[in-house]
Amino acid sequence: MPRNRKMTFCIIGVGRFGTGAAIELLRHGHEVLLIDRNPSCLEAFADRCETAVGNAEDIQFLREAGVKEADAVIVAIGNDETSSNHATMNCKDLGLYVVAKALHPTHGKILERLGADRVVFPERESGARLARLLTRSAILDMIELYEEVFMMEITAKGELVDKTLAKLNLTRRFGVQVVMIVRSKNTIFPVSANDTIYEGDILVLVGRHESLTRVVRLTE
């Protein structure tokens, strides 16, 4: 999925998870199409983005709503597993990149088999954090280790490249530690201050969310 530019997202299901994703995407200047069966869920966004009232189980409705123009679709339907499954299938049939919210682990496996490109669990990942991951090209993955402490994998590029860890000094500058470097099939662990970062390396970082975000900006 292309990233690191102004993008268009469709969010199906405007509950707490979908709302959080929408607010974050709009805050960063991306275009958003919101879809929900309930018109009242869309009222707060009527003057901020495109909205459409309808049933995502109907693939023709999705076509008419303009879903095919999206770079990615977030299926964030609240508690209707069947509707979530059908919406995911329809979006994949339209050739779209789909992130689907799972209601429970078994549902997550079903969504994966239906072709969802990424499955998320709301108890582990908020809609806002998902939006940040989708729109920052260097980030490969992020998990919360403890409260406010995250582990992130990023692809090295930009200002991170061709410098040693000592020269980058990410711990002193941002409070972020590099704990591992993955280079092709080789893993560098533990790392040392003299290790040089090359373009395409995968860096495993640990730190607070704001600090990690500042490091990611070095790759842009």
Side-chain angles (χ1 to χ4, degrees):
M1 184 182 66
R3 293 183 281 187
N4 210 25
R5 60 173 175 80
K6 184 176 181 180
M7 300 169 67
T8 300
F9 291 88
C10 173
I11 300 175
I12 301 174
V14 192
R16 184 169 63 179
F17 188 90
T19 295
I23 290 172
E24 185 70 13
L25 291 169
L26 290 168
R27 188 167 71 87
H28 288 281
H30 298 287
E31 295 181 356
V32 178
L33 166 64
L34 296 180
I35 292 176
D36 202 284
R37 293 181 181 182
N38 186 348
S40 64
C41 293
L42 302 172
E43 290 176 357
F45 292 93
D47 60 348
R48 302 180 62 187
C49 64
E50 294 293 323
T51 62
V53 179
N55 185 353
E57 295 182 53
D58 181 351
I59 194 169
Q60 186 57 34
F61 161 73
L62 292 178
R63 286 195 182 98
E64 293 172 357
V67 171
K68 286 197 71 173
E69 303 303 314
D71 292 294
V73 177
I74 300 173
V75 179
I77 294 171
N79 54 11
D80 188 335
E81 188 172 331
T82 299
S83 183
S84 173
N85 293 344
H86 286 172
T88 299
M89 284 191 297
N90 285 341
C91 290
K92 290 307 300 179
D93 285 345
L94 292 173
L96 297 164
Y97 182 96
V98 177
V99 179
K101 185 187 79 169
L103 305 180
H104 48 76
T106 300
H107 184 216
K109 292 179 181 179
I110 293 170
L111 291 169
E112 288 176 350
R113 292 179 182 179
L114 291 174
D117 298 278
R118 183 185 182 114
V119 174
V120 297
F121 295 86
E123 67 271 18
R124 303 178 196 169
E125 188 164 44
S126 69
R129 187 149 65 90
L130 171 64
R132 290 191 289 269
L133 286 171
L134 287 174
T135 55
R136 283 194 166 87
S137 61
I139 299 176
L140 301 174
D141 199 7
M142 180 193 289
I143 60 172
E144 189 167 11
L145 299 177
Y146 301 99
E147 187 175 354
E148 297 299 321
V149 178
F150 294 85
M151 177 178 287
M152 175 188 286
E153 293 181 5
I154 67 171
T155 301
K157 53 185 179 176
E159 295 181 37
L160 298 178
V161 173
D162 296 329
K163 297 182 180 71
T164 65
L165 291 179
K167 186 171 183 179
L168 286 171
N169 203 5
L170 299 180
T171 301
R172 184 170 181 179
R173 293 166 65 194
F174 304 110
V176 169
Q177 292 185 343
V178 179
V179 296
M180 186 187 303
I181 302 170
V182 180
R183 181 174 300 146
S184 186
K185 295 181 180 180
N186 299 317
T187 300
I188 302 172
F189 178 85
V191 298
S192 74
N194 294 324
D195 286 324
T196 300
I197 304 301
Y198 297 105
E199 186 161 6
D201 284 353
I202 296 173
L203 308 183
V204 181
L205 314 173
V206 174
R208 296 187 178 276
H209 189 278
E210 285 187 12
S211 300
L212 292 167
T213 299
R214 292 172 67 194
V215 174
V216 170
R217 292 196 186 107
L218 299 178
T219 69
E220 296 174 353

